[in-house]
Amino acid sequence: MTKAAITGRPRTPWRPVAVYAVIAALWIMFSDMLAALVARSVGHFTLVEILKGWLFVAATSVLLYALIRRDTAALRRSEALHRTSLESMADALFLIDAQGRIVEANRAVRTMAGLAVEAMPEDIERLIDVLDIRHPDGRRITPDEAPSRRALRGETVREEALQFRRPGGEVLHIQVTASPVAAEEGAEPALAVVVIRDVTALKRLERMRDEFLSVAAHELRTPITTIKGYAQLLDRWTPGGHEPREGKAFKILNHQSDRLSELVQELLEVSRLQLGRLELRRQRFELGGLVGEVIERMRGVSSLHRFVLHQQGPILVDADPDRIEQVLTNLFDNAIKYSPDGGDIEATVGVREGLAVVSVRDQGMGIPRERQGQLFERFYRAHAGLGTDRGGMGIGLHLSEQILQRHGGRIWFESEEGKGSMFAFSLALAEPVHDEQGAHP
Ligand code: ADP
């Protein structure tokens, strides 16, 4: 491949220009002298001069023609190269102009969409219609939300998850990336480049994994419950009490089967969540009360830590108390787990910008800055491979984020390595209840 093909810059024809300049200079300098030598009379000289002019025009025309021909051939070659690259791409690629017209589409567009050339719509709105393009939750995308339209407004859309239906009825899951193209810097985008990746096979595999996790976790629950049950029974039934060593063994057995059942429960929850089988049972409750209950429970888990609760009056929310308790338990569990030397664990429950906000702050090891970006990703463990690794599956925070998102809330954190972390979440406040006259109760 040539350098120009790699850099994308056209070649400047310096060599032919230099050759032309030298020949032209020599011609100008010596052609008249030559004509004077050759001419035998003034009339003859004029004729030679005219011939010389014609010769010059003919020579420069031939040179120009050769140059243009060479550049056109280079242009054609580069266009063919680009076209072949576009056509051999597995990803679908569109160019959309400012009016929403599809000005370019590679072959993958038609194969992915399952459309013949003559059935290909000419504009993007029509394509959205024909393919019934939707968000992953099943909502139809509006033309304004279309990645190409957003790119034409100057936004760069990265790997947005969407889905569409092929004419045969098959649903395809796609990831769409769209970028604006402007003729010059600072100008309005004239085109949008849209690249679509088919991730259906990947989704199918993810679904199989989640189904497997769900079945495995479900199957594991029964034997774990049985082991725990018998461990408790043996602990209570041994006539005349235990040998100290036996007593310790039963305690460990009990504790570890509890841990195992928590892990299995987490796996079950995360697979349910992915499969869309996590239900919310909303009811009105006081958030601070729930935080207080979880703190009481946590006091029994760790005597190394001092738990403090700050609350500004009662805060009512309409949420699923079991799920919110699950989030709180995870945040406190982590606060304990990642501050092994003890310290204060401070919870605050309050109202900020019209939302109920709970925060849990610890004075533990914190999270290295470069590992903070993926914290809510499924199975991500920020301390994996470090000396500070405390084990775990990296599910709790992902699950918490999903639970809060389903409530319309959100979760965030601040952390500094060696100084501790603060995790907080927000939920909408419960709507005040109005009686018949519209007065507050
Ligand atoms: P797990 O704790 O089971 O690994 P989580 O999803 O609850 O999974 O947490 C993901 C990762 O985030 C943890 O592995 C840990 O690296 C980091 N983390 C979570 N909470 C804290 C905290 N309070 N302090 C420091 N690191 C934390």
Side-chain angles (χ1 to χ4, degrees):
M1 187 170 281
T2 61
K3 191 169 165 223
I6 298 165
T7 58
R9 256 179 287 142
R11 271 192 310 158
T12 316
W14 288 120
R15 221 169 36 174
V17 170
V19 171
Y20 170 77
V22 171
I23 293 175
L26 288 174
W27 180 264
I28 290 164
M29 275 199 289
F30 300 113
S31 60
D32 288 338
M33 281 200 270
L34 217 66
L37 279 179
V38 174
R40 269 173 262 119
S41 62
V42 176
H44 196 196
F45 180 75
T46 316
L47 198 70
V48 172
E49 279 292 300
I50 292 171
L51 273 174
K52 192 186 76 155
W54 282 0
L55 198 67
F56 187 79
V57 170
T60 43
S61 303
V62 168
L63 193 68
L64 267 175
Y65 174 77
L67 273 179
I68 291 171
R69 221 183 113 98
R70 202 188 67 159
D71 273 14
T72 320
L75 244 146
R76 272 206 214 102
R77 261 201 314 278
S78 122
E79 201 186 309
L81 196 79
H82 282 123
R83 178 133 300 280
T84 319
S85 320
L86 283 187
E87 292 299 297
S88 56
M89 268 173 74
D91 291 344
L93 184 135
F94 287 109
L95 285 184
I96 317 266
D97 72 7
Q99 283 72 45
R101 283 183 303 237
I102 301 172
V103 288
E104 181 86 56
N106 68 354
R107 190 179 326 172
V109 170
R110 298 186 297 278
T111 25
M112 206 181 276
L115 292 172
V117 183
E118 53 291 351
M120 253 314 274
E122 282 178 5
D123 65 87
I124 196 72
E125 268 186 47
R126 186 85 197 96
L127 190 76
I128 293 177
D129 252 14
V130 171
L131 295 179
D132 188 18
I133 303 179
R134 290 173 185 265
H135 292 283
D137 61 8
R139 258 183 325 114
R140 188 94 187 257
I141 67 164
T142 61
D144 240 23
E145 289 172 330
S148 57
R149 187 68 73 82
R150 282 157 54 201
L152 284 166
R153 289 199 294 262
E155 188 187 333
T156 300
V157 181
R158 278 181 224 287
E159 299 188 343
E160 182 155 310
L162 291 173
Q163 61 187 48
F164 71 84
R165 194 174 288 278
R166 298 174 83 174
E170 186 194 352
V171 173
L172 251 66
H173 297 270
I174 51 173
Q175 258 178 8
V176 185
T177 298
S179 328
V181 182
E184 56 195 71
E185 221 175 308
E188 287 278 299
L191 288 174
V193 184
V194 182
V195 179
I196 301 178
R197 175 158 295 177
D198 180 0
V199 290
T200 315
L202 202 70
K203 284 264 165 222
R204 204 172 297 135
L205 279 176
E206 277 181 3
R207 196 169 172 88
M208 275 166 71
R209 181 197 59 197
D210 292 327
E211 291 282 1
F212 168 76
L213 274 182
S214 167
V215 172
H218 196 80
E219 290 301 314
L220 280 170
R221 266 202 324 190
T222 321
I224 292 169
T225 318
T226 316
I227 293 170
K228 167 132 183 97
Y230 277 105
Q232 279 174 338
L233 270 182
L234 281 172
D235 197 14
R236 269 188 253 126
W237 278 0
T238 314
H242 300 295
E243 293 266 318
R245 266 199 314 187
E246 277 176 4
K248 194 172 167 214
F250 285 131
K251 269 203 179 56
I252 293 176
L253 208 58
N254 262 315
H255 178 72
Q256 291 301 336
S257 47
D258 275 346
R259 175 95 192 96
L260 198 59
S261 97
E262 272 166 26
L263 290 176
V264 166
Q265 187 60 28
E266 272 193 351
L267 272 180
L268 193 63
E269 301 264 285
V270 83
S271 56
R272 269 193 199 143
L273 188 93
Q274 289 314 121
L275 296 166
R277 295 179 194 150
L278 195 89
E279 279 171 28
L280 291 188
R281 292 199 195 86
R282 284 183 193 258
Q283 66 185 64
R284 184 156 298 192
F285 65 92
E286 204 278 306
L287 195 54
L290 185 64
V291 179
E293 278 172 33
V294 175
I295 286 185
E296 274 315 306
R297 195 153 41 78
M298 291 296 155
R299 287 200 170 108
V301 174
S302 169
S303 51
L304 260 183
H305 297 86
R306 193 170 74 102
F307 294 88
V308 188
L309 172 61
H310 306 283
Q311 182 173 8
Q312 318 156 341
I315 293 167
L316 291 177
V317 289
D318 286 324
D320 182 332
D322 293 339
R323 297 286 169 212
I324 300 302
E325 182 173 348
Q326 199 178 342
V327 172
L328 286 165
T329 307
N330 178 50
L331 295 188
F332 280 105
D333 271 346
N334 281 348
I336 294 173
K337 188 162 139 189
Y338 297 102
S339 52
D341 299 330
D344 285 358
I345 295 182
E346 258 179 284
T348 312
V349 188
V351 177
R352 228 186 287 163
E353 292 169 14
L355 294 170
V357 175
V358 179
S359 66
V360 178
R361 184 185 294 276
D362 65 59
Q363 300 172 322
M365 60 181 75
I367 304 162
R369 180 163 295 279
E370 66 283 2
R371 295 191 173 207
Q372 294 187 1
Q374 294 154 275
L375 212 64
F376 294 104
E377 270 178 25
R378 198 161 29 143
F379 307 127
Y380 183 75
R381 296 168 53 242
H383 295 87
L386 302 180
T388 42
D389 193 353
R390 318 292 302 167
M393 287 195 294
I395 289 181
L397 284 181
H398 173 72
L399 206 57
S400 302
E401 185 188 44
Q402 296 290 319
I403 290 173
L404 285 158
Q405 278 179 0
R406 296 214 173 179
H407 278 87
R410 68 183 194 94
I411 182 167
W412 66 95
F413 70 95
E414 285 164 16
S415 183
E416 199 176 329
E417 197 173 2
K419 295 212 168 140
S421 311
M422 186 283 303
F423 283 81
F425 66 85
S426 64
L427 283 172
L429 290 167
E431 291 284 327
V433 185
H434 297 279
D435 63 15
E436 293 289 284
Q437 280 77 43
H440 295 271

